[in-house]
Amino acid sequence: DAAEGDCARGARSPIFGKRGVFPMAQAAKRIRIRIGIGGWTFEPWRGTFYPEGLAQKRELEHASRALTTIEVNGTYYGSQKPASFRKWHDETPDDFVFSLKAPRFATNRKVLTEAGESIARFFASGVLELGDKLGPINWQFMATKKFEPEDFAAFLGLLPKSVEGRVIRNVVEVRHASFAMPEFVALIRAHEVAAVVAGDSDHPVIADPTASFVYARIMGTRTDEAAGYAPAELDAWASRAAAWAGGAAAEGVARDVFLYVIGGAKERNPAAAMALLDRLG
């Protein structure tokens, strides 16, 4: 679509700092491009991404120093303890960020307007223990969930923009073709909610920027590529991330970027994420 085309043509922005930091001249504002993976516990990463002999309890420590963000999937299936969020906060660098998958109990329902209690319970579960390391919340919907404008609008109205004084960045991951329409884009833009850019997947790609950040999940890594993607493919994704951050979209607005290498050949995902960080660093 047009937004994707703008990003592809935008090429790489001229100046990047360490680990994906993009310094902007405007009032010294800093736009970050964060690159990461889903979770940090996966046996095939041991001895490849993780050094041989590294204790499992130190895997988050290692991953958070090789990458700049992680999307947590466990929060989709059930509540975590506040102590877990505090532990994740304390084990990671100051500039690290966790994105959280919102609980399925809020999104896997026929009538979304009934999700209020599940949403409130999620934000009361201890997620704020992450402090400044709390990134976007990904509200993921099943592929069978169709776009029903009134019900979806009501759901968006239930999502808080802030909790206890902390800004909350919400993103929706919709997977049914019925969402690929201007009415949906206009709706989430009005609520300042982003849509997941589902790259290299069978899901509809909705690349229109609608919030102060862009959230991409790319799912095309392959076992026959040491870094998951061919060099030209990595170059293309790095250029898109730079274009999103640098304001290459039609309205020219700079945005924070969160890009996760998810699915595909999962054993290659850390290598792909690090290769993207190298290109942006």
Side-chain angles (χ1 to χ4, degrees):
D1 62 22
E4 180 72 3
D6 287 343
C7 294
R9 288 192 296 271
R12 187 173 305 183
S13 297
I15 305 173
F16 286 87
K18 290 183 178 179
R19 301 182 73 193
V21 177
F22 182 87
M24 300 294 293
Q26 299 176 333
K29 182 178 180 180
R30 297 177 73 81
I31 303 296
R32 289 188 180 272
I33 301 176
R34 296 186 178 277
I35 309 290
I37 54 177
W40 60 87
T41 303
F42 186 53
E43 195 280 332
W45 292 345
R46 294 167 188 151
T48 53
F49 176 42
Y50 297 126
E52 290 281 1
L54 182 73
Q56 187 173 343
K57 66 181 181 180
R58 296 188 60 196
E59 289 177 349
L60 174 58
E61 176 188 339
H62 179 92
S64 64
R65 284 154 179 81
L67 308 167
T68 52
T69 185
I70 283 175
E71 183 188 76
V72 179
N73 191 49
T75 47
Y76 177 78
Y77 294 102
S79 296
Q80 307 295 311
K81 296 179 179 179
S84 295
F85 292 112
R86 286 195 295 272
K87 183 172 182 289
W88 300 346
H89 174 280
D90 294 345
E91 289 182 358
T92 52
D94 290 344
D95 62 348
F96 194 78
V97 167
F98 292 92
S99 293
L100 305 180
K101 293 272 285 292
R104 56 182 173 169
F105 311 108
T107 57
N108 293 356
R109 56 176 67 234
K110 184 176 181 179
V111 181
L112 294 176
T113 54
E114 299 173 355
E117 185 177 342
S118 293
I119 293 171
R121 189 182 305 118
F122 170 66
F123 284 107
S125 68
V127 298
L128 296 184
E129 295 290 337
L130 289 174
D132 291 340
K133 298 179 183 180
L134 176 61
I137 308 299
N138 179 8
W139 304 87
Q140 185 185 76
F141 293 83
M142 297 181 68
T144 53
K145 185 63 177 178
K146 297 180 181 179
F147 179 43
E148 298 175 1
E150 290 187 10
D151 191 43
F152 206 86
F155 174 80
L156 294 176
L158 296 173
L159 302 182
K161 289 185 169 62
S162 67
V163 177
E164 297 182 14
R166 181 164 298 282
V167 173
I168 303 297
R169 289 180 282 192
N170 294 296
V171 55
V172 291
E173 185 169 10
V174 294
R175 296 180 162 187
H176 193 275
S178 60
F179 285 90
M181 60 183 302
E183 184 178 359
F184 169 70
V185 173
L187 178 61
I188 59 174
R189 181 174 286 129
H191 285 269
E192 301 176 16
V193 170
V196 166
V197 180
D200 305 322
S201 74
D202 295 330
H203 308 308
V205 178
I206 301 172
D208 305 72
T210 57
S212 63
F213 64 101
V214 173
Y215 196 102
R217 303 174 90 239
I218 64 175
M219 311 173 206
T221 50
R222 305 183 298 276
T223 56
D224 61 343
E225 293 287 349
Y229 283 100
E233 295 170 316
L234 291 167
D235 288 343
W237 278 114
S239 292
R240 292 183 187 112
W244 285 323
E251 74 277 36
V253 177
R255 290 177 167 85
D256 291 339
V257 176
F258 298 83
L259 189 153
Y260 298 95
V261 187
I262 299 284
K266 187 173 179 179
E267 65 272 24
R268 302 291 196 214
N269 290 351
M274 289 188 293
L276 288 170
L277 280 171
D278 286 344
R279 283 162 168 77
L280 295 166

